[in-house]
Amino acid sequence: DASTFGLFYDAFAKIQQNSNVKKVVIDLSHNGGGEVAALISILGFMSPDGEVNLTYFHTLNKNYCSEWYHVDTNLDGEFDARDGFGGQYDFYVLTSGYSYSCANALPYFAQVDGLAKIIGEQPSGGDCAVENFLDAYGQVARMSGYFKFGRMTAGNFISDENAVKVDIPFGKNADKLYFNYEDRKSVV
């Protein structure tokens, strides 16, 4: 998705101007899913070299597929090791129960590839790529497709459906953990 790529490109241009920035949080807490192209773009920015590996199980023909992409994050026209920001920043992905579909796949692939820590709440799942459908009357619909995201582990396909493990859970006491009300009272 071009708008997601542009958003991340602009954000990293600003981040790089501030040498004090060491950690980057990607907020998917209100993201109900979306485009696989956006998923690939964001993972490209998080990787150390722009390389992205998406894997899925094709539910109709029962084949496992692994696809590799390279995201030219610096737009220099070269697909090389100068792409990506992994290793330059510590990445965190903020998720919630509303995070679904590609907003579940991104933290999954970021976690299994060692690109980010997952913070917040357990995402809701959703392991199928969404397919667009147009019928003979011109009616458009979106439905779950036949690609299930995940990884092959020890000869078995493990779906990303409920596989994300939150590294830093917020839980019921999130406001007490992350907001210091005592300091706030002294400012007011």
Side-chain angles (χ1 to χ4, degrees), residues 137-167:
Y137 301 102
Q139 300 297 314
V140 178
R142 297 186 74 182
M143 59 188 178
S144 290
Y146 42 84
F147 295 124
K148 295 175 77 73
F149 288 120
R151 284 279 160 86
M152 190 66 76
T153 304
N156 295 314
F157 181 78
I158 306 299
S159 164
D160 75 340
E161 180 72 29
N162 295 304
V164 175
K165 303 296 181 221
V166 177
D167 297 300

Side-chain angles (χ1 to χ4, degrees), residues 9 24-25 32 37 71 83-85 123 164 172:
Y9 182 84
V24 176
V25 176
V71 181
D83 293 314
F85 294 93
V164 175
K172 295 176 185 175

Side-chain angles (χ1 to χ4, degrees), residues 7 45 71 84 129 163:
L7 176 70
F45 279 92
V71 181

Side-chain angles (χ1 to χ4, degrees), residues 45-65:
F45 279 92
M46 295 171 70
S47 78
D49 56 4
E51 290 288 326
V52 175
N53 175 228
L54 289 188
T55 53
Y56 57 85
F57 182 74
H58 192 291
T59 59
L60 296 180
N61 64 19
K62 307 298 185 205
N63 287 333
Y64 172 77
C65 183

Side-chain angles (χ1 to χ4, degrees), residues 96-117:
S96 74
Y98 187 72
S99 306
Y100 189 75
S101 187
C102 282
N104 179 63
L106 188 139
Y108 171 77
F109 287 117
Q111 189 171 55
V112 298
D113 291 339
L115 303 176
K117 298 278 187 205

Side-chain angles (χ1 to χ4, degrees), residues 6-159:
L7 176 70
F8 272 75
Y9 182 84
D10 290 345
F12 277 97
K14 291 176 184 171
I15 289 169
Q16 289 180 300
Q17 293 173 359
N18 186 340
S19 62
N20 293 326
V21 174
K22 305 287 186 233
K23 300 176 186 218
V24 176
V25 176
I26 299 167
D27 185 354
L28 299 178
S29 63
H30 286 45
N31 188 318
E35 300 290 327
V36 174
L39 166 69
I40 294 166
S41 292
I42 296 169
L43 288 170
F45 279 92
M46 295 171 70
S47 78
D49 56 4
E51 290 288 326
V52 175
N53 175 228
L54 289 188
T55 53
Y56 57 85
F57 182 74
H58 192 291
T59 59
L60 296 180
N61 64 19
K62 307 298 185 205
N63 287 333
Y64 172 77
C65 183
S66 184
E67 295 180 351
W68 288 91
Y69 302 88
H70 191 108
V71 181
D72 183 16
T73 61
N74 59 15
L75 293 178
D76 66 355
E78 301 288 330
F79 298 103
D80 55 26
R82 294 178 303 193
D83 293 314
F85 294 93
Q88 297 175 43
Y89 303 99
D90 293 331
F91 287 103
Y92 298 85
V93 179
L94 176 61
T95 60
S96 74
Y98 187 72
S99 306
Y100 189 75
S101 187
C102 282
N104 179 63
L106 188 139
Y108 171 77
F109 287 117
Q111 189 171 55
V112 298
D113 291 339
L115 303 176
K117 298 278 187 205
I118 311 307
I119 61 176
E121 300 172 347
Q122 186 71 29
S124 290
D127 69 343
C128 292
V130 174
E131 301 290 331
N132 294 313
F133 174 75
L134 175 67
D135 70 11
Y137 301 102
Q139 300 297 314
V140 178
R142 297 186 74 182
M143 59 188 178
S144 290
Y146 42 84
F147 295 124
K148 295 175 77 73
F149 288 120
R151 284 279 160 86
M152 190 66 76
T153 304
N156 295 314
F157 181 78
I158 306 299
S159 164

